């Protein structure tokens, strides 16, 4: 059993002993701490709660809402929802924050409390540490009987979310409707099965072939939208002669596409394509994390903008986007952040912008993909002993390649012309993750192997 306490939230497996998993006692403890922080920070006694469709969702929801009431906080319960929908609801409700009950792409035995501030954005490092300190000290008090919070069930936010997407200047409903797209979707039996069909209908898409759209939390495959998990969607695209396939993760903040020929568009290229469209219509800068494809930089510079890299993690990307006034940004895992709407990964706005782009492109999705620079990422890791000085190891690798352009804002990233390698130590286990990118799978793999060999040489010298 596992319980991971991080600044972005509390994540764990259901069942087991308190402190070792996401048990009812842990849910109450961390909800109480977050509520105490949110009220002290904002002076507002209102919090929005929403959840994905995973099996434990109702149980966790009951505990969270009851705890918030016990803290004297009024709850807006938006029910089965998406992470970006809750992010939008928080400022609309003028709430102190929001709690999203989702373990994102993790398997069904996992759940989590994702914590938002009053802007509907993930809380930052400092605030996350405060929440954890409050929890460990049990530094909170519950309300007297006359001061208990109320609960308002509000199922209007799916429509509100869709409405604000439709109002965006770069979303062209007429162009999408005229394209007469035939689309297959895989929503992994979570809330995307409710939200994605409604969005497509609002965008004028008449032919939608649904796969796994029953929001019962019984994930039919590993819920992370990676190529190896989207084989059924690829088959459906071919069988139905669809123009494309769309896949989202359980909380609908990651977005991937399948081409009309059954091949993957590539999760790294979701953001590249959406950014290309946005930059064609809005001058400005872009941001992605250090482990994302170089293709975004190429597209940005071709459009006259500046590309900036951020440390891995949505909070870090958002902070960098605000700093450089980026018009589009996100992460290479299929996460699109469009600040014109809100500062959070949002598969729904990604779908609307991508379909507008594809409609105006006027050719197949595979041809759109071929219009972008071709890069390939190789993902590797080295397992080390727990007592090993990983930071010291990275310093020695940096010294070896000190003449190459490099960044140390998050581990070590070294650039070799248009190739790069990014080394990051895991926060939870004694491993170094090694991501590399080149213009072919072989080049990317060879670069990773070269760095791995360097690390082994350094280790032998110690």
């Amino acid at each position: 059993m596992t319980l991971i306490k991080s600044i972005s939230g509390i994540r764990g497996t259901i069942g087991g002993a308190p402190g070792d998993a996401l048990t009812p006692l842990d849910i109450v403890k961390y909800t109480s701490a977050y509520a105490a922080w949110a009220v002290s920070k904002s002076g507002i006694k209102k919090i929005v709660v929403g959840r994905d469709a995973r099996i434990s969702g109702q149980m966790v929801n009951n505990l969270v809402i009851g705890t918030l009431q016990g803290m004297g906080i009024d709850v807006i319960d938006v029910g089965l929802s998406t992470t970006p929908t809750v992010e939008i609801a928080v400022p609309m409700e003028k709430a102190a924050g929001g709690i999203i009950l989702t373990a994102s792409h993790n398997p069904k035995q996992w759940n989590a409390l994702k914590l938002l501030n009053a802007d509907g954005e993930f809380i930052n490092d400092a605030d996350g540490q405060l929440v954890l300190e409050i929890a460990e000290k049990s530094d909170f008090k519950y309300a007297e009987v006359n001061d208990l919070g109320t609960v308002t069930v509000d199922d209007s936010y799916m429509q509100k979310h869709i409405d604000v997407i439709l109002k965006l200047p770069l979303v062209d409903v007429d162009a999408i409707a005229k394209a007469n797209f035939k689309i297959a979707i895989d929503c992994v039996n979570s809330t995307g099965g409710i939200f994605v069909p409604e969005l497509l209908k609002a965008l004028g898409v008449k032919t939608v072939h649904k796969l796994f759209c029953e929001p019962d939390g019984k994930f039919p495959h590993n819920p992370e939208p990676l190529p190896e998990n989207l084989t059924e969607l690829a088959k459906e695209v071919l069988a139905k002669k669809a123009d494309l396939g769309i896949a989202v993760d359980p909380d609908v903040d990651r977005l991937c596409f399948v081409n009309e020929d059954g091949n993957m568009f590539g999760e790294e290229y979701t953001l590249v394509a959406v950014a290309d469209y946005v930059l064609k219509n809005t001058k400005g800068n872009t941001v992605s994390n250090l482990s994302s494809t170089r293709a975004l930089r190429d597209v940005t510079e071709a459009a006259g903008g500046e590309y900036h890299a951020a440390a891995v993690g949505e909070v870090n990307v958002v902070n960098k986007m605000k700093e450089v006034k980026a018009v589009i940004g996100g992460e290479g895992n299929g996460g699109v952040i469009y600040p014109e709407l809100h500062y959070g990964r949002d598969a729904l706005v990604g779908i609307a912008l991508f379909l507008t782009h594809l409609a105006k492109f006027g050719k197949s999705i595979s041809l759109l993909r071929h219009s972008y620079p071709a890069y390939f990422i190789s993902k590797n890791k080295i397992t080390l002993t727990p007592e090993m000085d990983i930071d010291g190891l990275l310093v020695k690798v940096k010294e070896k390649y000190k003449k190459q352009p490099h960044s140390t804002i998050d581990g070590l990233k070294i650039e070799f012309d248009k190739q790069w390698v990014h080394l990051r130590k895991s926060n939870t286990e004694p491993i170094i993750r090694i991501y590399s990118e080149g213009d072919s799978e072989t080049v990317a793999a060879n670069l990773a192997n070269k760095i791995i060999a360097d690390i082994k040489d350094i280790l032998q010298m110690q």
Side-chain angles (χ1 to χ4, degrees), residues 47-310:
I47 286 175
V48 178
V49 177
R51 67 183 181 92
D52 69 14
R54 63 187 60 231
I55 296 165
S56 60
Q58 187 64 63
M59 179 271 287
V60 178
N61 197 64
N62 292 342
L63 288 164
V64 167
I65 288 177
T67 301
L68 292 174
Q69 283 185 277
M71 292 289 291
I73 291 170
D74 296 330
V75 179
I76 307 299
D77 179 8
V78 299
L80 288 171
S81 190
T82 76
T83 287
T85 306
V86 177
E87 291 172 344
I88 284 170
V90 168
M92 282 187 174
E93 289 290 337
K94 297 182 172 62
I99 303 178
I100 309 155
L101 313 179
T102 175
S104 194
H105 62 271
N106 288 94
K108 68 178 182 179
Q109 66 268 34
W110 290 79
N111 212 327
L113 314 179
K114 284 189 175 181
L115 309 176
L116 305 176
N117 62 22
D119 295 323
E121 298 165 16
F122 287 116
I123 62 176
N124 62 28
D125 278 20
D127 289 332
Q129 291 299 337
L130 275 175
V131 171
L132 295 179
E133 286 173 20
I134 292 168
E136 291 315 306
K137 294 175 183 175
S138 293
D139 190 13
F140 42 79
K141 290 182 180 177
Y142 296 101
E144 303 290 334
V145 68
N146 291 328
D147 298 320
L148 295 174
T150 62
V151 179
T152 302
V153 176
D154 188 341
D155 62 1
S156 68
Y157 272 95
M158 175 172 70
Q159 193 57 51
K160 287 175 181 173
H161 192 170
I162 290 171
D163 287 345
V164 293
I165 288 172
L166 297 180
K167 288 176 183 173
L168 291 168
L170 292 191
V171 174
D172 191 332
V173 177
D174 288 341
I176 295 170
K178 284 175 185 170
N180 199 29
F181 290 127
K182 298 187 289 294
I183 300 176
I185 60 175
D186 176 353
C187 298
V188 76
N189 284 343
S190 191
T191 48
I194 307 169
F195 282 65
V196 174
E198 282 299 313
L199 172 67
L200 293 175
K201 180 180 173 185
L203 291 171
V205 178
K206 293 184 175 60
T207 306
V208 179
H209 302 290
K210 298 180 186 178
L211 271 185
F212 315 129
C213 286
E214 185 62 37
D216 58 13
K218 296 174 183 174
F219 303 149
H221 53 74
N222 183 313
E224 189 167 12
L226 298 174
E228 59 266 30
N229 302 325
L230 301 179
T231 54
E232 289 298 312
L233 179 60
K235 289 176 187 172
E236 187 73 358
V237 167
L238 290 171
K240 295 295 198 302
K241 295 184 170 57
D243 296 297
L244 70 153
I246 296 175
V248 295
D249 66 339
D251 66 326
V252 199
D253 63 358
R254 288 174 61 176
L255 171 64
C256 296
F257 299 103
V258 175
N259 298 344
E260 82 287 351
D261 57 8
N263 290 318
M264 298 295 142
F265 191 80
E267 60 169 354
E268 288 285 337
Y269 283 82
T270 298
L271 175 58
V272 174
V274 173
D276 177 38
Y277 172 61
V278 170
L279 291 167
K280 279 180 164 62
N281 294 274
T282 317
K283 293 293 182 189
N285 303 326
T286 66
V287 173
S288 66
N289 67 41
L290 285 166
S291 286
S292 299
T293 180
R294 186 200 159 86
L296 179 62
R297 176 176 173 177
D298 290 354
V299 165
T300 304
E301 291 176 350
E306 289 184 6
Y307 165 78
H308 299 267

Side-chain angles (χ1 to χ4, degrees), residues 273-274 276-277 280 353-361 368 372:
V274 173
D276 177 38
Y277 172 61
K280 279 180 164 62
L353 292 169
F354 184 90
L355 291 181
T356 302
H357 183 30
L358 186 60
K360 292 178 182 290
F361 181 67
L368 179 65
Y372 299 121

